[in-house]
Structures are given as structure tokens and as C-alpha cells.
Amino acid sequence: MSPLPILLLGGTAEASALARALAGDARFAPVLSYAGRTRSPAAQPVPVRTGGFGGVSGLSRWMREHGTAALVDATHPFAAAMHAHAAAVASETGVPFLRLLRPPWAPGPGDRWTPVPTAAAAATALGATPRRVFLTVGQTDLPAFTGTPHHLLVRTVDPPAALPAGVRLITARGPFGPDEEEALLRRERIEVLVTKNSGGAATEAKLQAARRLHLPVVMIARPPAPALSVSSADEALAWLHAQAACRGV
Ligand code: NAP
């Protein structure tokens, strides 16, 4: 029996963990797909393709041409367009489909979170009085904060193509530790943190640091989660094993 062609939509630590688990398993022929946003993505032990597919029709064509037998969407919790495209193709074609979505962060005792639904709502929640803001929302959501009266310190993995005037930039890739995050918040005299509820350990330390310093956090909520989702690479692997067993692979 030939191995099952798997399309794994990546760009997260969970996708990389699943790719590592699948590498060398003769039952599967995985391809890990990157959007191509990060300039130097980590090396992977499975074949990688990079760049958009060209919407629903492009993804559908790619999967047909590659005989994809199972589709795992392990993109970032905020990658709503890619998820919608994957869900549409899966429902159109009947290809088994799974969303791998790491758990969101939840506020703990002493946290001062303001939950908001969008980046625009986060900008509004900062108010009209200038504040020193640490903004870790990724490149795509930066424009929502242009024209606000705040002193913005932005951290991204790669430098954004365009940086709003008056914004200061740090480029760094996690994981970060709570001590270094606390030192950064103190050094920059940050008054409020704005972030998306990405979840995951790699970037959670800023929330621990904000808790230590009793700083408020404006937390942008995730888009709604689909019905069939798992929260770890191990659960996704178990689902793929079941797919292989169903097909006698
Ligand atoms: P998005 O808005 O959902 O996707 C925009 C377009 O990028 C998609 O329509 C698709 O283009 C392409 N794309 C996205 N993920 C892809 C993938 N894994 N493989 C091939 N094409 C992909 O997503 P996004 O927010 O721009 O995120 C892009 C990537 O960065 C994702 O893979 C995600 O896991 C990662 N990421 C995102 C965030 C975030 O905060 N959004 C944070 C960290 C990492 P076509 O329509 O042409 O197929």
C-alpha cells in the first residue's frame, strides 16, 4: 500500500511538531505548507512547499494534483482566511479534514485583561490619553493602531514592510522568558500590553510579566473555532493514524 499523501498547513510550533512525528513514518507522505511570511523558517524533516495556493480553487487544484488524502490545518489561530479555504475545499471534496488549534490563554488571578473582538476594538480600548503601549499583534494588524495618540513599541519576527510613523520596533523570535519580558516592560516604562490570544508557550511570558507588574492587557479574542478540532500534535497524529487504518495503510 502506498503512503497517504497528507497536506499539513503550517506556520506554527504545533505544525512543526506534527511534521517531526510524521517524518520517517512509511504510512504517510506529508507535505508541509508555509505561507512564506517568515524570512528564515526553521528547517523541516518533511517536504515543504511555500506560498499561497491561490484561494479555494487553487488549494482544491493542488490537492487534486497531489492526491491529498487528508488535510490538517495547523495554521495560526488567527489565520482565518486559510482556515476558511481549507474548510471549504474539505467540504467540497470530502477529503478528511482536521483543525489543529492550540488552546487559548486564559486569565489567572490578578490579571487585568480587557477582552476585545478585533484589533480595531483594541485600538479604541486604549482610549484617547497617550499611553506607553507594548504591541505584539503581528504585522497585519498594525495599521489598526496608526493615528492613535499612543507611544507604541512593536515587536515582530521580521521587520514589517511599512512601519507607522512614531512607532518603535523590536524584531525578535520567541520563545521569551518572563524575566526578560519583565525587564523589557520596566525598561520601556510600558503601561499597557496589547496582544492577540494566540496561545502557546513561546510567547506567553509577556503575560506573566504583565501579571507581575500589575499591568493591564488588551486581549484580542480568536475567531470562532470549528467543530472538529484538536489542540495538540499528538491528538492530530492519532487522528492521522486512524485515517491510515481506515484505508488499510
Ligand atoms: P490568513 O490571513 O489566513 O491567510 C492569508 C493567505 O495566505 C491565505 O489565503 C493563503 O493564500 C496564504 N496562506 C496562509 N497560510 C498558508 C499556508 N500555511 N500555506 C500556504 N498558504 C498560506 O493567514 P495569515 O494570518 O496571513 O497567516 C499566514 C501564515 O502565518 C499562516 O501559515 C499562519 O500559521 C502563520 N502565522 C500567522 C500569525 C497570525 O497572527 N495571523 C502568527 C504567526 C504565524 P491563498 O489564498 O493564495 O492560498
Side-chain angles (χ1 to χ4, degrees), residues 7-13 15 32-38 49-59 72-85 99 102 136-141 157 196 198:
L7 176 58
L8 172 55
L9 302 172
T12 58
L32 175 62
S33 176
Y34 279 133
R37 303 271 190 277
T38 307
R49 68 160 299 284
T50 303
F53 294 93
V56 172
S57 58
L59 176 62
V72 179
D73 174 11
T75 56
H76 191 271
F78 283 81
M82 190 69 247
H83 174 68
H85 297 173
R99 178 70 164 125
R102 62 190 175 218
T136 63
V137 296
Q139 302 198 18
T140 8
D141 286 320
V157 175
K196 298 193 288 197
S198 300

Side-chain angles (χ1 to χ4, degrees), residues 48-177:
V48 169
R49 68 160 299 284
T50 303
F53 294 93
V56 172
S57 58
L59 176 62
S60 185
R61 190 176 329 112
W62 192 98
M63 286 172 54
R64 204 171 43 249
E65 285 170 4
H66 292 80
T68 303
L71 173 61
V72 179
D73 174 11
T75 56
H76 191 271
F78 283 81
M82 190 69 247
H83 174 68
H85 297 173
V89 173
S91 101
E92 225 170 75
T93 58
V95 169
F97 174 51
L98 185 72
R99 178 70 164 125
L100 169 49
L101 197 58
R102 62 190 175 218
W105 294 315
D111 278 339
R112 299 169 58 202
W113 289 16
T114 302
V116 292
T118 60
T124 305
L126 289 173
T129 309
R131 298 164 90 185
R132 297 181 68 83
V133 180
F134 185 35
L135 196 54
T136 63
V137 296
Q139 302 198 18
T140 8
D141 286 320
L142 282 186
F145 297 86
T146 45
T148 60
H150 309 290
H151 305 282
L152 301 174
L153 178 67
V154 167
R155 182 168 66 197
T156 56
V157 175
D158 292 313
L163 197 61
V167 168
R168 285 187 312 122
L169 176 72
I170 309 174
T171 53
R173 186 196 294 263
F176 306 102

